[in-house]
Structure formats: structure tokens, C-alpha cells
């Protein structure tokens, strides 16, 4: 597998897209805030989504116009197969690293 570099925010947004299967920016912000316990701006989310799309990790498509949005269409994002593989690979790598942490190191969290 070719190594693809992802920043922490990119990885988090990619995992959220994977969780939701198909979602738009506002949904991503709500899930982010619920799980990370921090707020995030919509422009920040859209910048990350554009980067992920450029890397081939997510695809986007427009939904139908809705009366609630004054006829504007929402842009939906979903992960590509490559996006899933990269996220899964990163999770496996982290798990492997954590498995190498000596059990005595866990005592530090108890202090």
C-alpha cells in the first residue's frame, strides 16, 4: 500500500465520513463536536474535505435543491475505497504501536 500522509484533522474528518457513509459539512461538524468535544468551523471542514478529495480519499456529489435552503443544493461526501483502506491502515498501525507499550507504562496514567 502506498503511504499517504494525513494530518490529525484530515484523519478525524475521514473517519467521520466513514461513520456516516454519506454526509455534508454541517453533519460532520456535529459529529466532530460530539466526539472530539471541540467546535470546528464549516470553512475548516470544507478545506479538509477538498484536500481529502484531491487525495482521492473522498468523493462529493450534490443533492437535490431543498425549499429550506432556498433552493440551494447540499454537497455530500462519501469515502472512496482508498479512503477506507488508508483509515484502516492508520488505525492498525496505531493499535500495533500501543501493543508495544509496556504494561508498566500504564501506571503513569494512575498517578
Amino acid at each position: 500500500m502506498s503511504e499517504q500522509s494525513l494530518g490529525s484533522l484530515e484523519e478525524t474528518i475521514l473517519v467521520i465520513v466513514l461513520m456516516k457513509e454519506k454526509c455534508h459539512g454541517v453533519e460532520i461538524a456535529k459529529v466532530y463536536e460530539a466526539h472530539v468535544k471541540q467546535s470546528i468551523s464549516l470553512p475548516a471542514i470544507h478545506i479538509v474535505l477538498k484536500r481529502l478529495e484531491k487525495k482521492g480519499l473522498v468523493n462529493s456529489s450534490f443533492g437535490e435543491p431543498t425549499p429550506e435552503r432556498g433552493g440551494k443544493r447540499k454537497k455530500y461526501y462519501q469515502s472512496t475505497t482508498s479512503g477506507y483502506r488508508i483509515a484502516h491502515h492508520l488505525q492498525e498501525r496505531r493499535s500495533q504501536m500501543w501493543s508495544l507499550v509496556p504494561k508498566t507504562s500504564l501506571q503513569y496514567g494512575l498517578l
Side-chain angles (χ1 to χ4, degrees), residues 26-40:
V26 173
E27 285 179 293
I28 293 169
K30 288 178 182 176
V31 174
Y32 181 91
E33 290 173 12
H35 288 278
V36 180
K37 307 295 186 217
Q38 286 184 315
S39 63
I40 186 168

Side-chain angles (χ1 to χ4, degrees), residues 2 13 34 37 47 65 67 75 78 84-85 89 98 101-102 105-106 108 111:
S2 65
I13 299 295
K37 307 295 186 217
I47 288 168
K75 192 171 190 178
Q78 67 186 112
Y84 175 83
R85 286 186 185 139
H89 177 74
W98 272 106
V101 174
S105 295
L106 298 177
Y108 294 119
L111 298 176

Side-chain angles (χ1 to χ4, degrees), residues 23-80:
C23 55
H24 57 84
V26 173
E27 285 179 293
I28 293 169
K30 288 178 182 176
V31 174
Y32 181 91
E33 290 173 12
H35 288 278
V36 180
K37 307 295 186 217
Q38 286 184 315
S39 63
I40 186 168
S41 69
L42 282 176
I45 290 171
H46 288 288
I47 288 168
V48 171
L49 288 167
K50 284 179 186 176
R51 269 191 253 142
L52 292 172
E53 194 166 22
K54 189 173 182 178
K55 292 179 179 185
L57 304 179
V58 299
N59 287 327
S60 64
S61 61
F62 284 100
E64 294 299 317
T66 59
E68 307 89 53
R69 293 177 41 87
K72 292 183 181 179
R73 302 182 304 162
K74 291 181 183 175
K75 192 171 190 178
Y76 290 94
Y77 294 87
Q78 67 186 112
S79 178
T80 63

